[in-house]
Amino acid sequence: MATTHTESTSTTYPTTSGGTLATTVPVGAVYAESSVLDWGASLLEGAVVLDEQVAPNAPWSAVVKEGHVLTIVDVGGNQSADCLLYDADDPEERYSVPDTLAWQGNAYVRTGTVLRSNEGRPLMTVVANETDRQDTIGGACGKESNTLRYGHHVMFHHGCRENFLTEAGRRGLGARDIVSNLNWFMNVPVEADGALGIVDGMSAPGRRVAVRAETDVLVMVSNCPQMNNPCNDFNPTPLRMIVVDPHSAGNPASPAAGRPGSTTTSEGAA
């Protein structure tokens, strides 16, 4: 599959209110020419209502309607998709790590996990998963945490927090709305002594996770720009986001074509 590698020092996004928002988060990082990419397909059959590519380092968001299923494809393998969820009609109700873990009595996110809000209500359910476990403890990287962990020479590196702030701005949200997040495809084991580690991932090119919306949900994702630890082999690669309506006739999404940027179809357009 042919790809075009692009670099950008500034990107302008349309906002849901009709304006524009500029960000210096680098989008479309050049990944290694030898990268193995598998664009995959939806894990569930149904009519495709959205099929978008997310460039390395880029933010993304869409509203997934109740009953629709979002498949996230780890195109290059071990590329963390940091994720936040909001009730689309009332964003003050949003994903809650403690509620999710307390209700299920387990520290990991696996098939069957109900992703709950700060009101304890279901937002989405993991209906299929091609890795052993998903993380919701490790949090999101940012300029401040990068500086603390890796030194002042990385203080200007953008992270997932900056991506979240950019995408939140497009959706009329702000810093107060950024809460603890999911990390699809990131491996954060809990050791016997309770310690956590961010270690080599368990994913691979084309691995997928699928989540069903239990209400209309605003899904926000940062295609992690982390370049300071080996969890993605220092090589950020694209993601693919596919939403299907499993109650409508249709075929699974075909392999995505074109550039590793973002292409918008009907559902979730700004």
Side-chain angles (χ1 to χ4, degrees):
M1 170 182 163
T3 59
T4 301
H5 308 296
T6 59
E7 289 182 282
S8 174
T9 56
S10 181
T11 305
T12 300
Y13 294 95
T15 66
T16 54
S17 61
T20 59
L21 182 147
T23 174
T24 57
V25 175
V27 174
V30 177
Y31 48 85
E33 291 288 346
S34 60
S35 299
V36 176
L37 303 181
D38 182 344
W39 293 92
S42 176
L43 268 170
L44 273 72
E45 293 191 4
V48 178
V49 295
L50 178 150
D51 186 352
E52 296 185 351
Q53 301 171 36
V54 187
N57 300 356
W60 175 91
S61 66
V63 173
V64 181
K65 299 293 186 181
E66 181 178 353
H68 289 187
V69 176
L70 166 65
T71 294
I72 304 174
V73 183
D74 187 7
V75 174
N78 295 327
Q79 179 59 38
S80 179
D82 289 36
C83 181
L84 291 170
L85 309 173
Y86 303 84
D87 184 306
D89 296 320
D90 179 16
E92 290 191 4
E93 183 170 1
R94 68 282 304 267
Y95 177 66
S96 169
V97 172
D99 282 278
T100 297
L101 299 187
W103 275 74
Q104 72 168 359
N106 195 298
Y108 299 122
V109 173
R110 291 187 165 100
T111 303
T113 295
V114 178
L115 306 173
R116 295 186 179 271
S117 75
N118 53 328
E119 300 292 335
R121 287 190 281 264
L123 291 174
M124 306 188 90
T125 300
V126 181
V127 294
N129 178 26
E130 293 185 329
T131 62
D132 177 61
R133 60 176 184 258
Q134 308 281 351
D135 171 62
T136 191
I137 299 176
C141 62
K143 291 192 291 186
E144 295 82 3
S145 61
N146 282 343
T147 301
L148 180 65
R149 294 172 64 190
Y150 306 111
H152 285 276
H153 65 289
V154 303
M155 66 184 299
F156 300 108
H157 288 199
H158 290 87
C160 288
R161 178 171 171 78
E162 288 70 46
N163 271 342
F164 283 148
L165 289 170
T166 296
E167 202 63 22
R170 292 188 60 236
R171 296 284 178 173
L173 304 175
R176 289 176 179 265
D177 300 299
I178 308 303
V179 294
S180 298
N181 60 287
L182 291 145
N183 292 300
W184 303 116
F185 309 117
M186 195 165 88
N187 185 17
V188 183
V190 180
E191 307 295 348
D193 62 357
L196 302 178
I198 299 176
V199 299
D200 290 348
M202 299 182 292
S203 186
R207 293 281 178 89
R208 299 164 294 177
V209 61
V211 286
R212 181 184 64 233
E214 307 300 349
T215 186
D216 291 355
V217 178
L218 170 61
V219 181
M220 191 181 302
V221 166
S222 167
N223 191 3
C224 185
Q226 184 57 260
M227 290 292 291
N228 301 294
N229 68 55
C231 62
N232 62 2
D233 198 28
F234 306 104
N235 185 41
T237 48
L239 298 171
R240 184 182 180 190
M241 321 295 286
I242 310 164
V243 177
V244 301
D245 179 357
H247 304 295
S248 297
N251 296 317
S254 58
R259 62 184 177 83
S262 179
T263 56
T264 304
T265 56
S266 55
E267 184 175 301

